[in-house]
Amino acid sequence: MHIFSQSFKYDHSWSHVVIGMWHKYPNPHCTHVVNVDVLDRTIDPITGIIRTERVLGCKQKAPSWIVKLFGGSEDAFVREISFIDPATQTATITSVNLSLSQFATCYERIQYRPMSSTQTAFTQTAEIQARMAMWRSMTDKFEDWLVQRFEQNAISGKAGFSDVLRTMWEAKEKQTAPS
Protein backbone atom coordinates (compact mmCIF):
# COMPACT_ATOMS: atom_id res chain seq x y z
CA MET A 1 0.00 0.00 0.00
CA HIS A 2 1.13 3.52 -0.80
CA ILE A 3 -0.07 6.63 1.00
CA PHE A 4 -0.23 10.08 -0.54
CA SER A 5 -0.73 13.10 1.67
CA GLN A 6 -0.66 16.87 1.29
CA SER A 7 -1.82 19.97 3.13
CA PHE A 8 -1.98 23.62 2.17
CA LYS A 9 -4.21 26.66 2.54
CA TYR A 10 -6.58 28.49 0.26
CA ASP A 11 -6.77 32.26 0.67
CA HIS A 12 -10.56 32.13 0.71
CA SER A 13 -13.11 31.82 3.49
CA TRP A 14 -14.43 28.39 4.41
CA SER A 15 -17.91 29.24 3.07
CA HIS A 16 -16.43 30.39 -0.27
CA VAL A 17 -14.42 27.15 -0.54
CA VAL A 18 -17.45 25.00 0.26
CA ILE A 19 -19.54 26.77 -2.39
CA GLY A 20 -16.64 26.31 -4.80
CA MET A 21 -16.60 22.55 -4.15
CA TRP A 22 -19.83 22.22 -6.12
CA HIS A 23 -18.35 24.16 -9.06
CA LYS A 24 -14.95 22.44 -9.27
CA TYR A 25 -15.84 20.42 -12.36
CA PRO A 26 -15.59 20.93 -15.23
CA ASN A 27 -12.41 22.98 -15.35
CA PRO A 28 -9.59 23.13 -17.90
CA HIS A 29 -7.01 21.70 -15.48
CA CYS A 30 -8.99 18.53 -14.76
CA THR A 31 -10.09 17.43 -18.20
CA HIS A 32 -10.04 13.80 -17.03
CA VAL A 33 -13.28 14.46 -15.08
CA VAL A 34 -15.93 14.47 -17.78
CA ASN A 35 -19.16 14.38 -15.76
CA VAL A 36 -20.50 14.56 -12.21
CA ASP A 37 -23.84 13.09 -11.22
CA VAL A 38 -25.51 13.75 -7.87
CA LEU A 39 -27.10 10.52 -6.63
CA ASP A 40 -28.41 11.70 -3.28
CA ARG A 41 -28.43 14.76 -1.03
CA THR A 42 -29.90 14.94 2.45
CA ILE A 43 -29.83 17.36 5.37
CA ASP A 44 -29.92 15.92 8.86
CA PRO A 45 -32.77 17.81 10.60
CA ILE A 46 -31.04 17.67 13.99
CA THR A 47 -27.38 18.39 13.16
CA GLY A 48 -27.84 20.34 9.90
CA ILE A 49 -25.11 18.25 8.26
CA ILE A 50 -25.50 18.07 4.49
CA ARG A 51 -24.64 14.67 3.01
CA THR A 52 -24.14 14.42 -0.74
CA GLU A 53 -23.32 11.32 -2.76
CA ARG A 54 -21.99 11.77 -6.30
CA VAL A 55 -20.43 9.69 -9.05
CA LEU A 56 -17.62 11.23 -11.08
CA GLY A 57 -17.06 9.94 -14.60
CA CYS A 58 -13.44 10.14 -15.72
CA LYS A 59 -11.34 9.40 -18.78
CA GLN A 60 -7.91 8.07 -17.87
CA LYS A 61 -5.25 7.20 -20.39
CA ALA A 62 -3.82 3.98 -18.97
CA PRO A 63 -0.52 2.44 -20.10
CA SER A 64 -1.05 -0.33 -22.64
CA TRP A 65 0.38 -3.00 -20.28
CA ILE A 66 -2.33 -2.20 -17.73
CA VAL A 67 -5.11 -2.39 -20.33
CA LYS A 68 -3.69 -5.69 -21.67
CA LEU A 69 -3.38 -7.17 -18.18
CA PHE A 70 -6.68 -5.99 -16.70
CA GLY A 71 -8.84 -5.16 -19.68
CA GLY A 72 -11.30 -2.34 -19.43
CA SER A 73 -11.28 1.04 -21.08
CA GLU A 74 -10.39 4.66 -20.47
CA ASP A 75 -13.74 5.17 -18.75
CA ALA A 76 -13.50 5.18 -14.97
CA PHE A 77 -15.96 5.99 -12.20
CA VAL A 78 -15.44 7.27 -8.65
CA ARG A 79 -17.97 7.35 -5.80
CA GLU A 80 -17.75 10.47 -3.65
CA ILE A 81 -19.55 11.20 -0.38
CA SER A 82 -19.30 14.60 1.26
CA PHE A 83 -20.40 15.86 4.65
CA ILE A 84 -20.74 19.60 5.17
CA ASP A 85 -21.17 20.59 8.82
CA PRO A 86 -22.07 24.28 9.07
CA ALA A 87 -21.97 24.20 12.89
CA THR A 88 -18.32 23.09 13.10
CA GLN A 89 -17.39 24.54 9.69
CA THR A 90 -15.97 21.25 8.52
CA ALA A 91 -16.29 19.79 5.05
CA THR A 92 -15.17 16.19 4.64
CA ILE A 93 -15.14 14.36 1.32
CA THR A 94 -14.33 10.70 0.87
CA SER A 95 -14.03 8.94 -2.44
CA VAL A 96 -13.22 5.48 -3.75
CA ASN A 97 -12.78 4.14 -7.24
CA LEU A 98 -15.53 1.94 -8.61
CA SER A 99 -13.66 0.94 -11.76
CA LEU A 100 -11.04 -1.82 -11.53
CA SER A 101 -11.69 -2.05 -7.78
CA GLN A 102 -11.12 -5.79 -7.94
CA PHE A 103 -7.47 -5.01 -8.84
CA ALA A 104 -6.76 -1.79 -6.95
CA THR A 105 -8.42 0.60 -4.53
CA CYS A 106 -7.80 4.28 -4.05
CA TYR A 107 -9.49 5.58 -0.91
CA GLU A 108 -9.22 9.37 -0.67
CA ARG A 109 -10.16 11.72 2.16
CA ILE A 110 -10.24 15.51 1.87
CA GLN A 111 -11.05 17.97 4.61
CA TYR A 112 -11.58 21.73 4.59
CA ARG A 113 -11.48 23.69 7.87
CA PRO A 114 -11.28 27.43 8.47
CA MET A 115 -7.89 28.80 9.54
CA SER A 116 -9.19 32.36 9.81
CA SER A 117 -12.01 34.38 8.29
CA THR A 118 -10.09 34.56 5.00
CA GLN A 119 -8.15 31.28 4.88
CA THR A 120 -9.15 27.64 4.69
CA ALA A 121 -6.96 24.64 5.49
CA PHE A 122 -6.99 21.77 3.01
CA THR A 123 -5.78 18.27 3.89
CA GLN A 124 -5.81 15.30 1.55
CA THR A 125 -4.79 11.70 2.06
CA ALA A 126 -5.09 8.76 -0.27
CA GLU A 127 -4.46 5.10 0.43
CA ILE A 128 -3.64 3.26 -2.79
CA GLN A 129 -3.48 -0.52 -2.75
CA ALA A 130 -3.16 -3.01 -5.59
CA ARG A 131 -4.37 -6.60 -5.22
CA MET A 132 -2.16 -8.99 -7.20
CA ALA A 133 -0.53 -11.13 -4.51
CA MET A 134 1.00 -13.66 -6.89
CA TRP A 135 2.94 -10.98 -8.83
CA ARG A 136 4.64 -8.76 -6.26
CA SER A 137 6.81 -6.97 -8.84
CA MET A 138 3.76 -6.30 -11.03
CA THR A 139 1.82 -5.10 -7.97
CA ASP A 140 4.61 -2.68 -7.07
CA LYS A 141 4.78 -1.37 -10.64
CA PHE A 142 0.99 -0.95 -10.77
CA GLU A 143 0.90 0.86 -7.40
CA ASP A 144 3.75 3.13 -8.49
CA TRP A 145 1.82 4.06 -11.63
CA LEU A 146 -1.37 4.66 -9.61
CA VAL A 147 0.47 6.92 -7.14
CA GLN A 148 2.07 8.90 -9.99
CA ARG A 149 -1.32 9.30 -11.66
CA PHE A 150 -2.91 10.36 -8.36
CA GLU A 151 -0.18 12.94 -7.73
CA GLN A 152 -0.58 14.37 -11.25
CA ASN A 153 -4.34 14.59 -10.76
CA ALA A 154 -3.86 16.21 -7.32
CA ILE A 155 -1.65 18.92 -8.86
CA SER A 156 -4.20 19.51 -11.61
CA GLY A 157 -7.02 19.47 -9.06
CA LYS A 158 -5.37 22.14 -6.94
CA ALA A 159 -4.75 24.37 -9.96
CA GLY A 160 -8.28 23.87 -11.24
CA PHE A 161 -9.90 24.51 -7.88
CA SER A 162 -7.76 27.62 -7.34
CA ASP A 163 -9.00 28.95 -10.70
CA VAL A 164 -12.62 28.17 -9.80
CA LEU A 165 -12.27 29.99 -6.46
CA ARG A 166 -10.55 32.97 -8.10
CA THR A 167 -13.25 33.21 -10.80
CA MET A 168 -15.99 33.05 -8.16
CA TRP A 169 -14.23 35.74 -6.11
CA GLU A 170 -13.84 38.02 -9.13
CA ALA A 171 -17.52 37.57 -10.03
CA LYS A 172 -18.51 38.39 -6.46
CA GLU A 173 -16.32 41.52 -6.47
CA LYS A 174 -17.91 42.71 -9.74
CA GLN A 175 -21.40 42.25 -8.26
CA THR A 176 -20.58 44.23 -5.11
CA ALA A 177 -18.51 46.98 -6.76
CA PRO A 178 -20.21 50.38 -6.97
CA SER A 179 -21.30 51.32 -10.49
Side-chain angles (χ1 to χ4, degrees):
M1 178 181 0
H2 286 72
I3 296 178
F4 172 86
S5 180
Q6 68 173 345
S7 298
F8 50 85
K9 68 177 178 179
Y10 285 106
D11 289 326
H12 296 274
S13 69
W14 179 82
S15 60
H16 189 81
V17 169
V18 169
I19 292 168
M21 282 174 32
W22 309 117
H23 301 282
K24 183 175 179 179
Y25 304 113
N27 76 66
H29 296 276
C30 300
T31 56
H32 65 286
V33 179
V34 294
N35 62 355
V36 179
D37 294 311
V38 175
L39 302 178
D40 185 49
R41 180 170 288 144
T42 58
I43 301 174
D44 184 292
I46 297 169
T47 65
I49 294 174
I50 303 163
R51 180 194 180 276
T52 304
E53 183 174 355
R54 307 190 305 176
V55 171
L56 285 66
C58 305
K59 291 266 188 210
Q60 296 283 11
K61 182 75 175 153
S64 59
W65 68 269
I66 289 177
V67 174
K68 286 178 185 175
L69 188 63
F70 302 117
S73 70
E74 292 181 350
D75 297 323
F77 299 94
V78 174
R79 178 181 185 223
E80 174 191 272
I81 300 175
S82 63
F83 296 91
I84 311 301
D85 187 342
T88 63
Q89 290 192 321
T90 303
T92 304
I93 304 147
T94 60
S95 64
V96 65
N97 61 298
L98 299 173
S99 302
L100 297 178
S101 59
Q102 70 272 32
F103 301 111
T105 303
C106 177
Y107 178 77
E108 177 186 26
R109 184 175 190 272
I110 292 173
Q111 192 165 66
Y112 298 100
R113 289 184 166 273
M115 295 175 70
S116 68
S117 62
T118 60
Q119 292 182 328
T120 301
F122 168 90
T123 57
Q124 177 184 37
T125 58
E127 297 174 2
I128 300 167
Q129 183 174 21
R131 290 183 200 80
M132 300 182 305
M134 63 183 166
W135 300 326
R136 189 68 233 165
S137 63
M138 187 65 75
T139 300
D140 289 341
K141 189 173 181 180
F142 187 43
E143 280 184 358
D144 288 342
W145 179 81
L146 290 169
V147 169
Q148 288 173 1
R149 178 58 61 134
F150 190 89
E151 288 182 30
Q152 291 168 356
N153 288 343
I155 291 167
S156 298
K158 180 181 178 185
F161 193 43
S162 293
D163 283 355
V164 166
L165 293 173
R166 185 174 35 260
T167 300
M168 286 175 46
W169 180 257
E170 290 167 358
K172 179 183 171 190
E173 291 294 304
K174 283 181 184 177
Q175 289 176 350
T176 59
S179 302

